[in-house]
Amino acid sequence: PFHRISQWTRAFFQETSLLKVGLHIHLAHDSTPCPSSRTDYSSDPVITVVDKSSVHSLSICYCHCPDMQLFQAGLFLASFTRPKTAFTFAVLDDFLLDNLECGTSAMNYYSKLHRLTSSIFPLMVPDRYRELMRAARQWRQCKLYKWHGFAHKDLALFCPACPQPGINL
């Protein structure tokens, strides 16, 4: 759902957003509306989603727990108390790689995302630089926990050298 789209206006194609054409993303029930939920989606929260391609505003429909549903959808929240911004796992991995290999600062990386979103008016793009800094630190910490085996068993990598009951003991 992170595509940049254009809409025909009877004269030319005009860039628009998925929010403006009425897309609502349903996180649970295999991306279909929850059978126990309402049919009016106008009150659903609009979340700014930062992806490798650009910055998007999307209407997200939750079923129960928004934190876990966004995480299962491949989105990392910038704030867990009032989620208004989410980063895709791909953009966080891409930023960590650019930062490690090229020495790209978060400011320069987010400036690049501004230009990808709107090359003519990059200042019209929502500024989520502080949120990128926070999410990137948390993402890096989660990756380190996973790589070193300190995370939950579902996140930790399998280590064949470590004693595993029933496997190599």
Side-chain angles (χ1 to χ4, degrees), residues 73-158:
L75 299 172
F76 192 84
L77 290 173
S79 168
F80 293 99
T81 54
R82 293 181 314 190
K84 294 189 186 296
T85 304
F87 296 89
T88 62
F89 292 174
V91 78
L92 291 171
D93 284 336
D94 189 52
F95 170 66
L96 289 183
L97 187 62
D98 272 7
N99 183 260
L100 178 68
E101 294 297 327
C102 306
T104 306
S105 68
M107 180 65 81
N108 289 343
Y109 188 81
Y110 200 74
S111 179
K112 178 183 88 168
L113 290 175
H114 271 212
R115 292 280 177 190
L116 285 172
T117 304
S118 175
S119 60
I120 299 170
F121 301 109
L123 296 177
M124 298 288 287
V125 178
D127 185 20
R128 298 294 187 252
Y129 167 70
R130 289 180 55 203
E131 290 87 346
L132 174 65
M133 292 291 294
R134 182 183 314 115
R137 279 194 307 270
Q138 293 172 348
W139 184 251
R140 181 177 285 129
Q141 191 70 31
C142 287
K143 290 285 214 178
L144 288 172
Y145 283 153
K146 176 182 168 184
W147 292 333
H148 295 290
F150 293 113
H152 187 268
K153 67 177 182 174
D154 294 336
L155 293 177
L157 298 174
F158 177 74

